[in-house]
Amino acid sequence: MNDIVDYSVVLSLLLFSIGILGVIVRRHPIVMFMAIELMLNAGNLLFIAFARHLAEVNGQIYALIMMAVAAAEVAVGLAIIVALYKYRAEVDVDAISAFKG
Amino acid sequence: MSYIHLAIVWPLVGASVNGLFGKWLPKKLASFIACFSVLLSFLASFLALVMYLMGIGALGPSGQYIYTLYSWINVSGFTSDFGFLVDPLSLLMANTVSFVSFLIHVYSIGYMEKDEGFTRYFTYLNLFVAMMMLLVTSENLVMMFVGWEGVGLCSYLLIGFWYRNKAPQRAGVKAFVVNRVGDFAFLLGIFLVYAIFDTVRFSELAKILGTQVSISPYLMTVIALLLFGGAVGKSAQFPLYVWLPDAMEGPTPVSALIHAATMVTAGVYLVARLNFLFTWSQFAMLIVAVIGAFTAIFSASMALVNNDIKRVLAYSTISQLGYMFLSAGLGAYPVAIFHLFSNAFMKALLFLSSGAVIHALNDELDMRRMGGLAKYMPKTYANYLIGAMAISGIPLLAGFFSKDAILYSAYTSTPLSFPSVGKILWIVGVLTAILTAYYMFRQIYLVFLTPPRFNPSLHPHDPPNVMLVPMWILSLGSVLVGYLGLPVLFTSILGVPNVLMPFLNRVLHSVTVTAHKVGEPISNKELVGEAIVTLVSVISALLGLFLAHYFYKLRYGITEKLKRIFKEPYLTLLNKYYVDEFYNGLFVVNGKRFADFLDAEVDRGVVDGFANFIAFFIGALGQLLRSLQTGLIRNYAWYICVGAIILIVLLFRGVIT
Amino acid sequence: MSLLEALTFFPLAILAVIGAVGMVVARNPVHSALFLILNFFALAGIFLTLLAPLLAVLQVIVYAGAIMVLFLYAVFFFIQPGQRFTLAYSLPAQALLGSLVIIVLFTLMLYTLYRGSLFSVPSIGAAESFKRGEIFPINAFGSVLFSRYLLPFELTSLLLLSAMIGAVVMTRAPRNKNILQKKGITTEAQGSKDE
Amino acid sequence: MTQIQTIHLGSFVFLSPLLILVACVLLLILLDAMKIGRSFKVQGTMSALSLLFALIALAVFFPFNPVQLFGGAVIYNGFTALINASLLLLLLLTIVISSPYLLKVKSEGFEYFPLIITSAIGMMLLPMTRELVSLIVSIEILSIPLYILSGYNRHIEESKEAGFKYFLLGAFSSSFLIFGAGLIYGSTGSIWLSDIALNLPLVEEKFLLLLGLAMLLVGLGFKLAIVPFHSWVPDVYQGAPSPVVGFMAGAVKLSVLSALLVVLFYGFGLISLYWKPIFIILAVLTMFLGNFGALHQMSLKRLLAYSSISHVGYIITGLVIPAPAISTAIIFYAISYAVAVLGIFALLSMWATEKSDDVYLDDIRGLSQKEPLVALMLAIFLMSLIGVPITAGFLAKLYLFYEVYRAGYVYLVIIAIINSIISVYYYFRVITAMYILPAAAPSNIEGDVNFAHAALNSANQSNPFSARARVRSQESAPLNLLVGYVCLLISVALGIAPRLILLLLNIYHI
Amino acid sequence: MLYQATIPILSILIFTPLIGALIMLFSATHSIKFHRFFSLTISIIAFLISVGILPFLKDLGTFNLEEIYTWLPQIGASYHLGIDGISLWLVLLTTFLFPITILYSFGSVHFREKEYYILLLITETALLGTFLALDLVLFFFFWEGVLIPMYLLIGIWGSGKRIYAAMKFVLFTVVGSLFMLVGIIGIFVYSNQFGPSTFDFVKLRNIPIPLELQTWLFLAFTLGFAIKVPTFPVHTWLPDAHTEAPTAGSVILAGVLLKMGAYGLLRFSVGLFPAAAIKFSPSLMALGVVGIIYAGIICAVQTDLKRLVAYSSIAHMGFIVLGIFSMNSIAQSGAVIQMVNHGLSTGALFLLVGMLYDRRHTREIAEFGGLAIPMPVFYNFFLVVMLSSIGLPALNGFIGEFLILLGAFQVNYYLAGVGTFGVILSAVYFLYNFRRVFHGECYSSENRLLKDLNLREILALAPIVLMIFLIGLYPRPFLKRTEPSINEVVMRVNRAGAILYLSPTERAQKEDVSKLINLNLTENLVK
């Protein structure tokens, strides 16, 4: 445990966990979404760290593609969130629970 | 003898015609069809008798002729044919049954004249005759059982003939159910017989049991007792006699035919028919004898105080049947059959006469509201008197001879393991004879001789000839049939042969348990013994007669005082020892309670409750799990995380182990 | 791990964690967004130390630059009179349960890392591997991307296309305004977002 | 240093179905942008035509021998071709019912068709990819249009909510997927399934690998709605437009399942010992939760959502058998399920209105009187879901359970059987509503339906926009009925004479 | 030896009602008369076909008129039909009862009639298929096919708590049948050891299955059949279903549906797993006996006439179970004939109760009394049918019960003895309630004005009563055709028993031998 890769992986795990925490505890849709972005970034960090570990470029390419994926998700996600919350007085995910049971 | 099946077919035809088209038939035609079919039945059986006596037709080795109509059940080794066994026993039975039936049919034309269910009545009656003939002529146990149940059914239908009233219906159900209890034993007996002997045919069974077979006496006892159980039910012996008094709710000719003359004697016939089987178990035979003796005196005691004219006769019937079992149990089967034979006439006569009385008094059954009828209905009185005298054992009438034979067989019998039992049974028989004479003449006095107590507006008179003629014929029979089976005492004195016993002895094999072998030449010592027995029975009959005379003629009215003095015994007797109440409490009430418990608690509660509980449990679980679906995204995300943890742990478990 | 690496990595890592934690705990979504931008920048730095300069640049441009701006833009949408940010947290129980799960998960993952091993055999494809500690030339990056990873690359275009259509669909002004008026909310100017 | 791989253009003809679809998407968008043919009918017809072309192309260029494309990133073989054909067929049927539906709900915009076709492209690619990044991108291509489509009825709040929930959880789960891919990359040194399989024996300590696999399974499990990653399903299925639900319930499962099979057998077949037990537990959980959840539902769509969860449960019992031959049973099951469920939603979408397209059990009361044919078809589809003979569902269950039993997991079969029994209750509730309950007076029959207190329990679930009025007799919806007929035909044909498809699936197992 | 029928007569028989149903389904006419008489005609045609088969049956120890077509080679299922002495009577019973119920229904079903007759015909097809299928999958096909039509028949045209009853019926049945499915899969998987896996009954019964596996498979099958029969303690669906079902439904349920279970027990539980059947025979006999006594007692206190008949049905089916698991020819022949008898007499009882219900709209015994006065014809029909149900000799009920008890007695004195007690109970509960319904003075004016049976109803009942007498008086033709098939079953049971009850070492040797024998056999199969 003294390689930078290892520390990067630990950091990535940490960020991933914090991201999950954000999704679970926050109630603002955009913040939740930000947390998800954080998780995606943790994944990217993983790819890049492993690319360094394996000394190959593939990991970086994966990270690049994942960035595109994230961007696409952001585009759609924000659109959905805006469409849903634009006319609501309260920006609260918990308010969106017409379906249950 | 192959015409014997016509004895069944004709009544069946009569029943079918009346049953299907009776609605459209005029009463006369219907009754003619019914009577004529029974007459044909009688003729068929009589023809068979004649042919048998003349030796026409090939007989089997044991003097039996077997005629198979068709194979009824035939499954892998088990065979029960629709077949007939023609031998002295069945011929005697068949002739008696069909003859008495015919007379009662004729009588019924008059008796049931005004009844709305006229054709229905004759349908059932014809059916009964068919079934009874089947019972007595069938060649195997199962076919016999068919007749056995068939007569039970007809008994049920005829007891409950007047279905508008509650009492007949209850009586009918009671009769059927109590009979079924006996049949339960009978069926088990049949099963056991088949299980052990692999056949249910009488002839084959006789053959098997005729040789020395190694069967445990215990098993034989069980078989015999089970079969006897059926007889107990049908012949109304203790403890299953309770249905017969109630069966008097039916029309009186029915009581005469079914519940006195024919059907109830089927039990005796069964025991006689299976004599070869009963012989194997002395214990079972002892039981038969003891139950017979006990029933005889037990029911005679109940007849002492009963006020219902028909019920007294019913108890009398039970008592007489007890006599028959007494002798059958002691191995004197021909004697039992002899008594059966004479009883058929006497009892039919008595019932028909009582029917005439009842008819005349507008369906009055209570003897306390009769009296003095001798003046109004002399012919009926004469008939009744003949019947009562015959059954009481007044010398030279039929009952005297047959009862004497029974008592003699008891007196002389020494069952191997219980030698003294014979004498005890004899004493019981004698006591019963006293009681019989008493209650019969009590009846005569109460109905015919005491001052009239019936509704003065009634004008009782003798019945029309259509009823009277059968009664006369039966009276004749009651007087004469005894001479067919004269005891040794008389045969030796008169030189007249005993025709019946040798005839029956062809199939009813002599039995080891009795010392007395009927029809054999006997020593003087035995002759003296017989004389003593005869004397005792004559004395006892006269004693009973005298007691009745004393209480109801000489000291008329003393009975009321006696009732007060012996209140408890009187009430006990009047209430028939509370046996009905006891049965009701033990079986009906508890049974109902148990059934309610099973229905409400066990079936709906436990069994169905269990199924419902599972359903409820699943439903509740469904509700519970539904509440996990909160509709909140963060909860869902949390589930995903938990799922991830579960997956990780599960995967690692694989690595670590 | 050289000292230089350590000196750059750990502060950046701490910054990244601060950014992440800050994003989660900040009540105001705008603050959250800013914290996240901090995190992205820190990550970009870490990418650099991991010898991925191209990704670092893209991280800054795409994530911190484009995506986060979008986020902020969306957040601003919601700033309306009477709108509350305070309701940003879940119930304590929820937070507790969430934290618990996260702790368990993180522990598990750390344990994994502790017990597990990274793949140490040199990569099989010669084309895309390079010497340890060396920055991969950008043109090689391109050629690998367009040869071996042509498929995901092409698929990305399809993905983005569909995302674009989706965004258009979701944010287009509804033709039927009745629903809105019933709710008593005035419509604002719409901006469709695409890449 | 770099070696540019040559791309054999010739082999790309095999991708022509996909390319036709892409072309169709682009064409539709362009036409829309140019304001040409802006009607659902035109768009729908064009999409349907292109789908037909794609189907023909698929048949013409059927890969009797596996085709390797993009340097092995895509392997197009008989198996995937069959999956693709099924998907195309499902999509075609969906598109047929979509235009009337969109008209009925007064939908805006014409992006529906490009989106759903894009999603289908993702689905078709998914089982072909042999590389995790392409796999992830395919999943995203599949998902993102579905997020949008779930919320496509923007004027219905429930639809938007469905879209939002689906999206947020979907994004959440794809981050797991990506993270998992990253971990697998780190622990095996590659994301190519063939390389992973090669390198597996070289991995000394498998913890990291398994962590990655777990994360990957979280992502795939989410798409498949395996418990505990199922929670989005009821909410999304209930809110999303009926044709979309009908499509995604079956098609997504079909596609993701085959991808899962490919990943597990080609990538991680060697460590099947590790992942096998997971599927036992997940299958049990999924079956039970799905069935229990459905017991008390009043909304038909929600009920079907839970039932779809339970069906996933049945399907993944097959995954305990680490033999590629199991794919026959699994795919047959998935196809039979997809057809039945699409048939149901095709019929349900008949009753959509501008206000709501949810259908409650109360709404379909007395349906057998008003529309006997529709009721009959619905009943037969439900029978297929239960697994009653003469429908495909029965043979599918029989085949699947047979495989599981043969592999020695008798207890799993018994658990599945118990679940089938539970499921009978709620499917029969639907039949009860259609056939037995009178159309009039609501709710007081409940005591009647109530089997041992498991009441319908509709007290807290009432439809705000009661659709009772919507279920009108003689409502003309020929296209929906047509699709219903086709699904019925397929369902029954597969139930009585599935020889051909079983033969094909057997030959072209994964 | 396979005898391929030139005309697929069994298929024609099975699918005639279905085709009729389809024609009705797609017929445009709304004329109720058409649907009534068309369905009646179809069912009569089916009956005629089934009767027409009789002369073509040769040696009933094997299957006659077999039809084999490969159906699903991948799954191993084939389309295999055949008829033997066991199924013959059940088929005839089915085709016999359907015209009667349809004829009866003319007067008692007054809404949704088209659907009603369609469902009846579909049920008939499924029932016929169940009795004739010799392939387990095909059997299961038809077996489950009964479920939905029956559910709808009970649910739509039933009374009172009909939905509860229908749901209960379905859930109970499904529990059983799905466990049976596990069993089917199990034997299929096992059969793989002897050549290609097969669902074919004729092939399967020749493969030796180790006792332990037999035990489990037997239990799975038997559970399914026992629920359908139904045996105590899984009988509770029956009173509800029978009581709430429309009359025709009850007739079909009691008359034929229950026979599916009994038939399954005899054909599959015993036929496929003889050793396990021997092992469990005492317990199952005991269950049968418990059913006889338990249901008999409960009958006595029923207040609902239909419920009474329903419980009596449980008792009668108890006899059948007792007979089947007595494992000898006598009892099993009795069981088969008892199936027919029960179908006739209980079916007729339900018809009669239904006729009463149509007039009076209640089934509470307490509401009746003295019905013999206004309805003499009805009274007489009821009497005969009831007596047949009680098991009066010379009527059909006796033959079955007697043979069953006789056979059972050869095996187990005590159980048979207790079972015989049922004859008392049946007399008690039937006569007691018969009296309450028919006898006494007819006080209530509603009862007094009841109309007697009309010609249609008499026509519906008369054939049953005729059969009741015919079987009772001359059961030979029935028993004769059943016997070879039963002997075949018993022969297999005995062979299995011979292996089962040897000492362990002997058994091991024997099993080796039998394996050798069966290896040869499988080789033959492969060829």
Side-chain angles (χ1 to χ4, degrees), chain B residues 23 70-76 78 124 142 145-146 149 153 156-157 163-166 169-170 173 176-177 180-181 184 187-188 190-192 194-196 592 594-596 598-599 602-604 607-608 611-612, chain E residues 164 168 172 233 235-236 294 297-298 301-302 307 311 329-330 333 373 383 387 390-393 398-399 402 405-406 409-410 417 420-421 423-424 428 431-432 434-435 439-441 472-476 479 483:
Chain B
K23 213 169 150 186
Y70 63 83
S71 176
W72 184 46
I73 303 179
N74 186 352
V75 184
S76 47
F78 174 80
Y124 293 165
V142 180
F145 186 74
V146 175
E149 285 273 290
L153 165 74
Y156 161 77
L157 291 171
Y163 52 64
R164 282 172 187 258
N165 303 336
K166 281 243 164 80
Q169 282 311 316
R170 284 183 199 281
V173 174
F176 199 89
V177 169
R180 273 258 158 161
V181 176
F184 165 62
L187 264 181
L188 288 184
I190 296 176
F191 297 152
L192 205 51
Y194 181 71
I196 290 164
K592 217 166 183 171
F594 181 61
D596 273 326
L598 268 191
D599 182 36
V602 179
D603 201 52
R604 284 172 217 247
V607 181
D608 202 20
N612 280 338
Chain E
Y164 168 81
K168 204 168 174 181
F172 267 81
H235 63 276
T236 52
Y294 176 87
I297 293 174
I298 287 177
V301 290
Q302 291 308 314
R307 223 176 156 80
Y311 271 108
S329 309
I330 296 177
S333 297
I373 298 161
L383 182 67
L387 290 172
I390 288 177
L392 195 86
F398 175 73
I399 312 283
F402 179 80
L405 290 170
L406 184 71
F409 206 84
Q410 318 301 314
T420 313
F421 193 73
V423 301
I424 302 179
V428 172
L431 292 180
Y432 172 66
F434 183 71
R435 174 172 75 70
H439 292 148
E441 194 54 68
L473 292 172
Y474 192 49
R476 192 77 195 99
L479 293 169
E483 204 180 342

Side-chain angles (χ1 to χ4, degrees), chain E residues 197-255:
Chain E
S197 282
T198 178
F199 285 113
D200 197 314
F201 171 75
V202 178
K203 285 180 196 159
L204 284 176
R205 69 174 172 177
N206 287 324
I207 65 170
I209 306 173
L211 183 60
E212 204 201 3
L213 183 64
Q214 272 204 30
T215 304
W216 289 112
L217 296 179
F218 174 82
L219 288 178
F221 272 80
T222 306
L223 177 65
F225 297 133
I227 288 175
K228 201 84 171 185
V229 167
T231 323
F232 177 86
V234 283
H235 63 276
T236 52
W237 65 269
L238 185 137
D240 286 319
H242 278 44
T243 311
E244 308 303 347
T247 302
S250 306
V251 174
I252 300 304
L253 260 178

Side-chain angles (χ1 to χ4, degrees), chain D residues 13-24 46-63 76 81 84-89 91-92 117 120-121 124:
Chain D
V13 293
F14 289 105
L15 287 189
S16 52
L18 281 174
L19 297 176
I20 289 172
L21 291 190
V22 173
C24 169
M46 285 183 58
S47 325
L49 278 177
S50 62
L51 280 170
L52 274 177
F53 283 133
L55 264 173
I56 292 166
L58 189 138
V60 171
F61 302 111
F62 192 85
Y76 183 54
N84 285 356
S86 323
L87 289 171
L88 281 172
L89 197 66
L91 182 60
L92 182 62
I117 294 173
I121 294 170
M124 290 164 70

Side-chain angles (χ1 to χ4, degrees), chain B residues 452-592:
Chain B
R453 296 174 301 277
F454 54 84
N455 188 344
S457 63
L458 292 172
H459 300 290
H461 52 82
D462 272 324
N465 280 340
V466 69
M467 289 162 75
L468 215 49
V469 170
M471 280 156 66
W472 283 121
I473 297 174
L474 286 171
S475 291
L476 202 64
S478 301
V479 175
L480 294 180
V481 291
Y483 294 96
L484 292 175
L486 287 174
V488 250
L489 199 62
F490 287 71
T491 48
S492 53
I493 293 169
L494 298 176
V496 181
N498 183 334
V499 268
L500 198 61
M501 295 298 163
F503 181 58
L504 285 175
N505 263 344
R506 292 193 201 176
V507 278
L508 298 180
H509 305 287
S510 313
V511 173
T512 48
V513 284
T514 51
H516 172 71
K517 296 202 171 52
V518 182
E520 281 181 8
I522 48 170
S523 64
N524 278 345
K525 193 183 156 202
E526 283 178 68
L527 212 60
V528 172
E530 168 132 25
I532 291 169
V533 170
T534 311
L535 201 63
V536 169
S537 27
V538 171
I539 289 169
S540 55
L542 293 174
L543 181 63
L545 197 161
F546 171 72
L547 281 175
H549 182 66
Y550 179 79
F551 284 134
Y552 290 95
K553 187 72 188 180
L554 300 179
R555 301 286 302 274
Y556 180 62
I558 196 176
T559 43
E560 294 303 317
K561 206 192 267 175
L562 287 173
K563 274 179 203 167
R564 273 199 301 278
I565 295 169
F566 301 103
K567 197 177 175 195
E568 292 304 317
Y570 170 72
L571 281 180
T572 310
L573 286 179
L574 194 66
N575 286 307
K576 305 158 272 181
Y577 296 100
Y578 301 102
V579 171
D580 275 338
E581 284 76 8
F582 173 70
Y583 281 175
N584 195 44
L586 185 65
F587 297 117
V588 181
V589 174
N590 281 336
K592 217 166 183 171

